[in-house]
Amino acid sequence: MILQVTGFYTGLTVIIAIILGMRIGFFRARKGISILDGGDMEVATRMRAHGNLTETAALTLLAFAIIEVNGAPPLLLHVLGIIYIIARILHPIGLKHDN
C-alpha cells in the first residue's frame, strides 16, 4: 500500500524541520554559540522550537500512517494533516521563554 497522504505530510514536516534547523544553525553561527545555548534565551527558544518538532513528529506521522493503512478517508487525513501542519508552523512563532 502506498501511503500518499502520510507521505505528503511527512514531506511538509521535513521542510519545516529543515527551516527550523537552519534558523537555529544560522543564529548560533551569528552568536558564536556551538554547544547548548550559551546562556542566550533566544538560542534556547529556537532550540526548543526545533526540538519539539523532532520529539513529536515521528509519533504523529506514525499515527497518520496507521490511520491511513486502516482505511481512513483521505478527507479525514487531510483535515488532520492541515491542523497538524498549521500547529507545527504556529508553535515556533508563539513559543516564548519564561522570565
Side-chain angles (χ1 to χ4, degrees):
M1 172 176 232
I2 297 173
L3 301 173
Q4 292 179 332
V5 180
T6 300
F8 175 73
Y9 290 104
T10 300
L12 292 177
T13 302
V14 169
I15 291 168
I16 294 169
I18 289 168
I19 291 168
L20 291 175
M22 290 174 59
R23 185 173 172 253
I24 183 59
F26 290 140
F27 194 77
R28 281 175 174 283
R30 192 167 66 232
K31 292 284 198 163
I33 300 169
S34 63
I35 297 178
L36 299 175
D37 60 27
D40 186 304
M41 288 307 293
E42 183 61 25
V43 172
T45 301
R46 289 178 185 222
M47 285 173 59
R48 282 312 317 141
H50 185 255
N52 183 266
L53 174 71
T54 61
E55 292 164 0
T56 61
L59 191 58
T60 301
L61 293 167
L62 176 62
F64 265 68
I66 291 168
I67 294 167
E68 189 169 4
V69 164
N70 282 292
L75 179 61
L76 172 63
L77 288 163
H78 282 295
V79 167
L80 294 173
I82 290 167
I83 293 168
Y84 165 69
I85 293 299
I86 289 171
R88 294 306 340 145
I89 291 169
L90 291 177
H91 178 265
I93 293 169
L95 187 64
K96 304 290 182 237
H97 60 81
D98 297 329
N99 280 352

